[in-house]
């Protein structure tokens, strides 16, 4: 299957600072990437859809000014958590598909554990 | 409302037994259904993808079935091993991918 690489795997930051998480598709081009958040013992919640060369589409209830998404190239999307607070502590996972369309397989990164202290 | 449900939330079996994991969904107009494995603190590994037109998919010891009319998919893992211990997630694509809460599996030696 296709490889999606996410970095860093763990990050601890101070409250009020910003943190950037990278998601790369290593062996394919991804016009669309997805960012999810996962709370302990819960399912993945879609935060936003990242489109190469255009603005991200955010799900209802997700603050676009807090969670900045940039999809600068066909292989890289970044999620920046701005002015992080302890309640932003969570597991963030990105996903990408190798081809457009709704019948394609989704591949996921390794996830990033964010802890805000 | 489109929802994905996985029951039970947790399952423990002795090594060698077959595993049966259930996934149900509310709207049969799906594009596809995908099963994933998630180890603690890690990302998701894709196990099987079943397109809407398919009834099942197989990969090694894994077999997944799909019955759209009843809104169900079942993941079978034959001859379970301790290395199969993980959380198994079912995800249904209705446009966007929607996940169940997962079934946490423990295979005891």
């Amino acid at each position: 299957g296709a490889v999606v690489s996410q970095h860093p795997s763990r990050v601890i930051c101070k409250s009020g600072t910003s943190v950037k998480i990278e998601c790369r598709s290593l062996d394919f081009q991804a016009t669309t990437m997805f960012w999810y958040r996962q709370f302990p013992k819960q399912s993945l919640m879609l935060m936003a859809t990242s489109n190469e060369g255009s603005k991200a589409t955010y799900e209802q209830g997700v603050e676009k000014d807090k969670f900045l998404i940039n999809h600068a190239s066909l292989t890289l999307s970044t999620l920046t958590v701005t002015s992080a607070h302890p309640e932003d502590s969570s597991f963030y996972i990105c996903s990408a598909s190798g081809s457009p369309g709704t019948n394609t397989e989704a591949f996921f990164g390794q996830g990033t554990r964010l802890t805000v202290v | 409302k489109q929802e994905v449900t996985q029951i039970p939330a947790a399952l423990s079996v002795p090594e060698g037994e077959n595993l049966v994991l259930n996934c149900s969904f509310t709207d049969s107009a799906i594009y596809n259904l995908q099963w994933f494995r998630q180890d603690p603190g890690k990302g998701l590994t894709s196990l099987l993808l079943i397109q809407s037109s398919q009834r099942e998919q197989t990969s090694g010891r894994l077999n997944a079935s799909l019955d759209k009319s009843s809104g169900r998919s079942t993941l079978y893992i034959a001859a379970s091993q301790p290395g199969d211990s993980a959380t198994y997630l079912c995800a249904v694509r209705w446009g966007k991918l929607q996940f169940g809460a997962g079934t946490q599996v423990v295979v005891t030696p």
Side-chain angles (χ1 to χ4, degrees), chain A residues 28-104:
Chain A
F28 66 99
Q29 294 184 329
T31 55
T32 305
M33 292 186 177
F34 304 88
W35 287 96
Y36 295 82
R37 184 172 180 175
Q38 187 179 33
F39 293 101
K41 304 291 186 182
Q42 294 188 26
S43 183
L44 277 71
M45 298 297 294
L46 179 65
M47 297 174 65
T49 301
S50 169
N51 303 296
E52 189 267 337
S54 65
K55 291 183 179 180
T57 304
Y58 290 82
E59 295 299 301
Q60 190 174 7
V62 177
E63 298 177 59
K64 62 180 181 181
D65 295 329
K66 166 167 271 299
F67 299 101
L68 299 179
I69 291 172
N70 183 281
H71 196 147
S73 74
L74 287 171
T75 58
L76 173 64
S77 176
T78 59
L79 168 67
T80 301
V81 183
T82 63
S83 186
H85 288 98
E87 57 265 31
D88 298 324
S89 298
S90 191
F91 193 61
Y92 295 87
I93 312 178
C94 69
S95 168
S97 297
S99 57
T102 49
N103 63 344
T104 55

Side-chain angles (χ1 to χ4, degrees), chain B residues 50-101:
Chain B
I50 311 177
Q51 299 294 349
S52 174
S53 59
Q54 298 175 322
R55 295 299 298 268
E56 68 174 351
Q57 280 288 335
T58 299
S59 176
R61 294 185 295 113
L62 277 61
N63 174 277
S65 65
L66 174 64
D67 184 344
K68 287 192 303 179
S69 62
S70 64
R72 294 182 182 178
S73 176
T74 303
L75 177 66
Y76 301 89
I77 303 178
S80 62
Q81 304 167 358
D84 294 328
S85 299
T87 296
Y88 292 84
L89 295 165
C90 167
V92 178
R93 188 179 294 280
W94 290 288
K96 298 174 186 176
L97 203 57
Q98 185 136 346
F99 284 82

